[in-house]
Amino acid sequence: MALGTRVTTTTQDFLLPKVVDTILNSNVFATRMLGRAQKFTGERMKFPVKYAKNTTGTSFAGFDTFSTAATDNRVNLEYVPKFYQITCALPLDELSANQTEEGVINLAKIELASTAQDAADDIGTIFYSDGTGNSSKDFLGLEAIVDDTTNVTTIGTLSRSTYTTLKSTVTASSGTLTLAKMDTLYNAVTSGSQKPTVGLATESIFSWYGQLLQPTERIAKDVSMMKSPGNMGKAGTGLIGGTGFTGLYFKGFPILADEKCTSGVLYFVNEDFLDFYALPMAMTNPIKFRSQDVEGNDYSEVEGLGFSWSDWIKPTNSASIVGHVYLGGELVSTNFKRHGKLTGITGI
């Protein structure tokens, strides 16, 4: 029941000095990619890839003649940077009221932290797309990278039909998820020590996979929020703290549930050949804050993530401040045959 005026006129309200996020959900793949962002350099980045074998090798005896033909078996994947922004705006009258002694939470600080988290959430959605959103201004996503020309015929300026090694393995599950189908996909994208480093799926598929396991195999382990250093030992930046995501393992690598993941799809991804290359926006500052004032999502222990900040701008025609959070760069893969996916999964 409501308290009487004897209480409401003599007792001050209490505002918890935290904001609890009830809207943002898991963002596993983007967190792992952005947490180990590499540096984008130049107006475009080129990655030489070998697409054919030198076939001039042969056994010989005596004065057999050898081929003198030159072979051309490399080509450049080319990526140009793309850019994303989100606006943060506040009226000065609200800031003035917030900056009195009764201001429990710093309004400008919490608004910037919340906006940056919303930006990361947007990027998480884009990272599962095919890159054609907003007139192809979106970053590339897994629908483009893990593809066999079904969705995207050209990747890194090259035709997948011409250079067939740029195709990933895409297998229709025909509705059901089975260990046998997962084994087949694993074999298709694995060669020796080159194997997937992570599996990504919706929460439903993650649960179905758990039901396929024997009780003694159904062991959930914490998986780092950051991707592993990989064969090249790349240095990572951006993520601190946190216990990580909960994963169920398959052939030595974790299967993770990501609410951003495309419905009905299970991805096997080799992160050694997948990176986000970040290009800082000119005349801005890197965002270096720890969102301690926002709790209840995967971003609460995140610092950085490669985003930059325009700083507050004062418009000439209103009593307000406006700023923009930016992210520039591109999600890049250099070896598409090491990724694969099962599609159309509806149950077990």
Side-chain angles (χ1 to χ4, degrees), residues 28 196-201 206 248 253-258 266-269:
V28 176
T197 59
V198 68
L200 299 163
F206 179 80
L248 290 170
F253 67 93
I255 307 294
L256 302 177
D258 190 348
L266 170 62
Y267 290 96
F268 283 179
V269 173

Side-chain angles (χ1 to χ4, degrees), residues 266-277:
L266 170 62
Y267 290 96
F268 283 179
V269 173
N270 189 328
E271 295 166 304
D272 292 343
F273 304 107
L274 188 63
D275 284 287
F276 184 79
Y277 282 80

